[in-house]
Amino acid sequence: PQYCTRNVDAFISNSDGGGGQSNESTVTWTCNFPSDVLDEIDLSLQQASPGSSDHQDAEPFPILFAMVLFAISVTFTFVVFGYDRMKSMSKPNSASRQNGDEDESELAQTRNSWVETDLLDAAAVPAGAGTDATLSKHGHATSHHDTEANNDDDDDDEGKSNPNEAKGVAQDLPPALLSWQNVSCSYPVKKSSAATTSNDANDDDDVIQEVQTLHNAHGVLRSTELVAIMGGSGGGKSTLLDILSGRKSLGNIQGEFSILGENTTNTGGGMTAAGDTLRNVSAYVPQQEQFFPTQTPQEAVAFFANLRLGRDERGDHVRQQRIDGLLSMIGLSEEVRRRPIGGTLAGGITIRGLSGGERKRLALACAVAMKPKILFLDEITSGLDSENAVIVISLLKQMCVSLKVAAAVVIHQPSIDVFEQFDRMILLSKGRCIFSNRLSKLPEYYEQILKDKMPERHVIPNDLLRRAANWDHQEMSSRIGMNTSSSRIDIGSNVGRNSFVHKLHALEYGNNESATKTKTMKEHKIRGDAHDEHDDGEGPTTVTSRPGGFLIQTSPFPTSASSALASTSKRKKDGTSNNGSAGATPPSTYWKFSTIFYRNLQNHYIRNLTNLAARLLIYGSTAALLGLIFWQVADTDGDATMSLTQSRYVLGAGLFLSQTSFLLPFAQISTFFFDKKVFASESALGLYPSWMYSVSQFLLEAWVLILAAFIEATVAIPMMALWNPAMETYESFFILLAFLMINGLAGNAIVLFVSMASFSQDMAFLVGSTYVAIALAASGGYVPFAVMEEWIQWLQWFSPVKYSLQMFGMALFDGTENTIVELLELNEPATITGNM
């Protein structure tokens, strides 16, 4: 008071209510402080103000979280694009070949790499095996031997008696790799109410009945043989192929299998007994091949080889030689194998690439790159013209011969040129196997079973399909003397000597009851092939004889196949597989994960920079528009405390920022659904567990969203003046950056989850957007929790937006006198870290 003077200004004002007048006054103070007193006042104000002196109370975890993630993302960005740039610059320019001498040199080099690098462990081709001009022109003769592998096999077999010799079986017959008998598949379904009205019906029959899609199928796959699975629609072709490849998980599956010397019986449920073994020694090629459009053929083959075979200890150049040899084998030139495969990107952009025939051959190369002993292919000629169909099947036949593998192909209406490439056929009609033998046995089949004359050569495929479509099991059974009232023969039941099934087995194995080989008829030939010199019927390595049983006993295949079987137990334990080939180690979990991670990174982001740049631009432009709408909303114009009304405006701005971060990741749903097709195709092969894809995709999206959050924070925070006066500027910025990062990661997790769980893209949008809408309404930002009905308030705990909004409010108002957070009950949990 000693430094100040009080001034009173009196004046007269009109009254609002009564029309009279009232006296009012204004009091002002005029103060004149000395300099030392002014210093003391400034110090007192600083100590009393919740300003910069309290910055040490800021929570360290959100700041460190934002700093670390941002540093990792920026470093990863420079490493990724720097490495990709260096890799592209280091690629040698491959000049096109100009003369025949250079072509011969390249072919010779490829041929040497085929043998010297132990490509696919290709062993000696059996005598009499045919050749294919398509493959030979690429320089791969079918008689090359892997001398080292053969010597190893000889050492292993030294001093051991050959089981085939003991049983008097011809030694040049290709070994059986897979055989099966009495394989059936049915699905239990509830009977309709109309079907259960009979009082005489059995109680069990009143509950369920079985719909049988496969009846007692039998057959064999032999090394070097190409087998056609044919029949009309609904005949059971895909069911049989899925069972044999170990992919069938639904239905009641029964049957006996012999797989590379290991016998197993499936007594019900999915393919639990033999499924793991079959998947470990085989490869499956689906009808619709799935590749990333920006991926190159070299990368596609390398991806499958790396996941199944692991790292080659002899060096990456050895694996590259194998890949080049395979691509040369399928006829892809140097130029073609280094350009994109092509297709439609997520979003509709089309990239030109390989033709339909080249894609089919590439799918075949990817399967062979995994070193299987058995190949299963589902309609590989679907969508191809007749010329490309012949090329693909001819290539497949040559691979079977040169690599000593067996292949089973589901095929519809093949031309005679395609049909004659096959060694064996399994013909199905309404789930029943009506022919399972070599094509050279068709004349006997027509004569003894169909009781008809064999048609002209070019008509045979269509005639067989016509007969399969019109097949009457009861009529055919009665025609050959089978008396049965049941259309199903159970496993292990006696089969009459005159039954249709017995006739088929006799045609395949001979008429002797013990199922040993007997010369019963002269073999008729419809074409020359590797088996025409055997005129004494089909000779299995070993046949298990028992009532109704004709299961061919397979024998362990040398080296690679037997070790593949041995690795099945290891694969069950740790998810790895071992092909048993020299120089390769079982792929570790880290190796598989890094392979998937790099493939997704390269094709979704590095080679799709337009999409990446567009996403970052959208985040930046959206933040700029919100900044203009909420321009300087948190600016107090020098006031020490923000009013409650202004505080509500600020929370509204934070709610819109949060909403943006949750909704913008929905733009990636189309990408996830594109990946889902690729994942489904690859998971059918058992290449990697599903979590590897999910985690890799989440991490890659997190990288992009962290960069986007930084752009959003850099633009929006200054424009909206979102600074906490009680904190240092950098602390306030990084806490709000952590807020935007957490929002983006949560939105990404929601999108990934609904994409994986939904059966269609539209359903994923519907479910995801519905959840986010409810989460916004229950966040407490629009309607305070105190205003909500008590019975609905529990929704707040399932709303990620609630925790996001609370984090935003605490980031701006912690340490200040503002009480908006407490008034709106946005304080559970009570810390920023707890809400994160």
Side-chain angles (χ1 to χ4, degrees), residues 87 98 103 138 167 221 272 349 451 486 524 549 652 699 818:
K87 187 177 179 180
Q98 298 295 330
D103 286 339
H138 295 295
K167 298 185 179 297
L221 298 181
T272 55
I349 300 176
K451 309 295 185 182
S486 173
H524 297 273
L699 291 178
N818 196 296

Side-chain angles (χ1 to χ4, degrees), residues 324-564:
D324 289 340
L326 266 179
L327 294 174
S328 295
M329 190 179 193
I330 65 173
L332 293 185
S333 64
E334 288 281 346
E335 179 187 359
V336 172
R337 70 184 64 168
R338 286 187 170 87
R339 72 187 184 195
I341 295 173
T344 303
L345 291 170
I349 300 176
T350 302
I351 298 178
R352 296 188 61 183
L354 303 184
S355 65
E358 289 172 332
R359 291 175 66 93
K360 294 289 186 182
R361 282 181 277 159
L362 177 60
L364 181 58
C366 291
V368 173
M370 295 184 290
K371 294 191 176 182
K373 296 313 301 177
I374 306 171
L375 286 171
F376 297 102
L377 306 100
D378 188 10
E379 301 184 32
I380 193 171
T381 60
S382 177
L384 300 181
D385 55 43
S386 57
E387 181 180 359
N388 276 310
V390 173
I391 292 175
V392 170
I393 296 299
S394 299
L395 173 64
L396 179 58
K397 171 58 184 172
Q398 187 58 39
M399 283 184 167
C400 291
V401 173
S402 61
L403 306 179
K404 298 192 71 175
V405 300
V409 183
V410 170
I411 191 166
H412 282 289
Q413 295 182 328
S415 65
I416 187 59
D417 294 328
V418 170
F419 184 74
E420 288 185 340
Q421 297 291 330
F422 292 96
D423 301 287
R424 182 182 296 272
M425 178 183 66
I426 299 172
L427 186 61
L428 298 172
S429 174
K430 301 173 184 176
R432 301 183 183 278
C433 185
I434 61 177
F435 182 85
S436 179
N437 210 325
R438 300 199 311 270
L439 294 188
S440 56
K441 288 293 183 179
L442 278 176
E444 288 92 333
Y445 178 72
Y446 271 92
E447 179 182 350
Q448 297 182 17
I449 303 297
L450 300 180
K451 309 295 185 182
D452 200 354
K453 182 181 178 181
M454 189 170 176
E456 295 292 330
R457 167 181 169 271
H458 65 279
V459 184
I460 292 176
N462 290 333
D463 183 71
L464 290 171
L465 291 174
R466 179 184 60 82
R467 292 179 183 272
N470 300 323
W471 188 268
D472 190 323
H473 179 71
Q474 295 292 341
E475 179 184 350
M476 293 304 299
S477 298
S478 60
R479 182 184 301 181
I480 61 176
M482 178 181 177
N483 254 332
T484 178
S485 59
S486 173
S487 61
R488 174 178 175 179
I489 303 173
D490 292 327
I491 294 177
S493 64
N494 291 333
V495 181
R497 292 191 54 176
N498 292 325
S499 71
F500 173 67
V501 176
H502 191 279
K503 290 275 188 180
L504 284 180
H505 281 294
L507 177 61
E508 185 167 4
Y509 306 129
N511 287 328
N512 193 309
E513 266 191 0
S514 63
T516 57
K517 290 173 42 176
T518 55
K519 184 183 289 188
T520 58
M521 62 190 73
K522 182 176 180 180
E523 180 178 359
H524 297 273
K525 306 175 178 62
I526 66 170
R527 65 180 181 87
D529 59 18
H531 312 296
D532 284 345
E533 66 271 17
H534 307 299
D535 61 354
D536 51 355
E538 173 77 311
T541 304
T542 306
V543 176
T544 303
S545 177
R546 62 186 185 117
F550 294 91
L551 179 66
I552 295 178
Q553 176 63 44
T554 59
S555 56
F557 205 76
T559 311
S560 61
S562 58
S563 58

